[in-house]
Amino acid sequence: MERSEKTPYNTDCNVDKSLLRRYNQYLKLERGLSGNTLEAYMGDLQKLMKYLSEDGTDFRTLSVDDLHQFMAGLADVGIHPRSMARILSGIRSFYRFLYVEKEIVQDPTELLESPKIGLHLPEVLKVAEIDSMIASIDLSQPEGTRNRAILETLYSCGLRVSELCRLKLSDLYFDEGFIRVMGKGGKERLVPISPRAITELTNWFYDRNQIRIKPGREDFVFLSLRRGTPLSRITVFHWVKEIAASIGLQKNISPHTFRHSFATHLLEGGANLRAIQAMLGHESIATTEIYTHIDRSKLREEILLHHPRNIYYESSKHRGK
């Protein structure tokens, strides 16, 4: 039983486990793959099978278009082309095996091109780098609690900077653990918010209450301390760059970096790809209709289970007991 939990045989799809064991033996004995490479191949296969399971697609009838959608989804959440190429290599190996074993009549990966390694994608921060940026904020300064809340909200919720600047008090549902986000094209979505982000926002609200807010702007979460008006995208952009420079980060950092880090860390932690896409509000799947097919409580559990912020929060609670 312990072995089945540690190996990627639980693909959440209609793949016969005996077939997966045969493939595992093929990789180990005939191709002579090392333990780490074998684990990587099976893990990459599991990502595809989870994706197909959500789509209701049988792995034996997989098409090139299905593969394009899958690879596009990986790119959408910030996976580097080099990592995408490795994932595709593992998928190709599996479908070549199926073809040789006469499990399928045609290999759908034959016509699929590998991603160009030179393709530029936004930087992704390590959790330690995000922690360093947040820890460097001086809480003795008037804007300290606000700026910590901004970084934590960007990272914990994967927001676009425009969504952050438009966020309103009436969009916050802390008791339910969600915030309402107005995305591109006026499309709304519900995004789970972590306990740590809620704490940082609550700390900011104490200082926010001391601001003389411009009439008509009382509902906005993040405000200028001097003008009492909502922060602009440019202001947040320049401030994030300054913070990154102040701690010596050599990466090209912007508010969008936190969004890509959010998605990448979740995927690396094992979160479902479609759940991540829904949280990001990508047009390919995050339309209003998708929320009628996805249970919100399960989405929240998915994010809270795999996001580093929540893992840290839960472990620290247990240590404090």
Side-chain angles (χ1 to χ4, degrees):
M1 183 67 179
E2 182 179 352
R3 174 177 171 80
S4 65
E5 292 174 351
K6 290 185 177 181
T7 56
Y9 293 151
N10 299 319
T11 57
D12 297 325
C13 194
N14 54 349
V15 184
D16 185 75
K17 290 185 178 180
S18 65
L19 178 61
L20 287 175
R21 291 193 181 93
R22 282 164 49 205
Y23 176 56
N24 189 287
Q25 290 298 310
Y26 161 77
L27 294 177
K28 186 184 299 182
L29 301 178
E30 295 191 31
R31 295 197 54 187
L33 299 186
S34 67
N36 288 338
T37 304
L38 178 65
E39 184 177 355
Y41 268 47
M42 297 300 289
D44 294 336
L45 177 60
Q46 185 179 26
K47 289 181 176 66
L48 175 65
M49 292 306 164
K50 282 186 176 182
Y51 177 86
L52 295 180
S53 178
E54 291 294 322
D55 224 19
T57 302
D58 190 289
F59 71 96
R60 288 185 174 86
T61 60
L62 183 74
S63 68
V64 175
D65 288 340
D66 292 327
L67 284 169
H68 280 148
Q69 288 293 326
F70 173 71
M71 299 304 288
L74 294 178
D76 223 11
V77 296
I79 298 300
H80 192 277
R82 194 176 302 279
S83 296
M84 290 171 59
R86 190 212 69 203
I87 291 172
L88 180 56
S89 176
I91 293 171
R92 279 200 177 104
S93 173
F94 178 66
Y95 276 90
R96 278 197 294 267
F97 167 79
L98 293 180
Y99 182 75
V100 170
E101 293 292 309
K102 301 187 184 304
E103 294 286 340
I104 56 176
V105 296
Q106 186 174 357
D107 181 358
T109 67
E110 286 183 342
L111 301 178
L112 188 66
E113 295 183 0
S114 295
K116 296 180 180 179
I117 301 301
L119 180 65
H120 173 73
L121 287 174
E123 296 275 12
V124 173
L125 291 168
K126 299 176 182 177
V127 176
E129 292 172 329
I130 293 172
D131 287 339
S132 295
M133 289 185 67
I134 293 175
S136 71
I137 297 172
D138 187 355
L139 292 179
S140 68
Q141 296 299 312
E143 69 278 6
T145 56
R146 182 199 67 190
N147 292 347
R148 282 190 67 145
I150 285 174
L151 288 192
E152 196 63 63
T153 304
L154 282 172
Y155 176 51
S156 292
C157 300
L159 302 185
R160 300 178 177 94
V161 65
S162 58
E163 295 169 346
L164 178 102
C165 293
R166 289 195 300 263
L167 192 63
K168 297 180 179 180
L169 298 176
S170 56
D171 294 326
L172 308 179
Y173 302 92
F174 286 170
D175 290 341
E176 293 80 7
F178 281 92
I179 63 174
R180 181 175 57 197
V181 178
M182 182 67 71
K184 290 183 176 180
K187 295 178 180 177
E188 291 184 0
R189 67 184 190 277
L190 292 178
V191 179
I193 183 169
S194 71
R196 183 162 173 172
I198 291 174
T199 297
E200 295 294 353
L201 283 166
T202 303
N203 292 339
W204 153 238
F205 291 155
Y206 288 117
D207 293 332
R208 184 185 179 279
N209 290 337
Q210 310 305 315
I211 301 173
R212 181 175 295 178
I213 302 174
K214 188 173 181 179
R217 300 293 186 266
E218 294 88 354
D219 199 24
F220 285 89
V221 173
F222 295 110
L223 301 166
S224 165
L225 274 61
R226 290 187 296 108
R227 295 186 296 275
T229 56
L231 293 178
S232 70
R233 298 168 63 238
I234 299 301
T235 298
V236 178
F237 181 88
H238 286 300
W239 172 74
V240 168
K241 280 193 169 294
E242 287 176 1
I243 279 290
S246 72
I247 65 170
L249 275 181
Q250 301 299 313
K251 296 179 178 179
N252 184 21
I253 305 300
S254 73
H256 209 64
T257 308
F258 288 84
R259 178 172 162 85
H260 278 274
S261 301
F262 161 87
T264 301
H265 293 168
L266 284 174
L267 189 65
E268 290 175 348
N272 183 277
L273 182 62
R274 287 198 175 270
I276 299 171
Q277 289 177 320
M279 293 301 94
L280 292 174
H282 288 140
E283 291 185 4
S284 57
I285 66 166
T287 59
T288 305
E289 184 180 359
I290 196 68
Y291 289 102
T292 65
H293 302 296
I294 301 177
D295 185 274
R296 288 189 177 91
S297 64
K298 290 183 179 178
L299 283 175
R300 173 169 165 73
E301 290 171 5
E302 189 83 12
I303 300 302
L304 293 182
L305 176 64
H306 296 291
H307 197 288
R309 274 291 177 263
N310 305 305
I311 295 171
Y312 171 85
Y313 180 84
E314 292 298 325
S315 63
S316 63
K317 282 201 308 184
H318 291 301
R319 288 198 301 270
K321 290 184 178 180

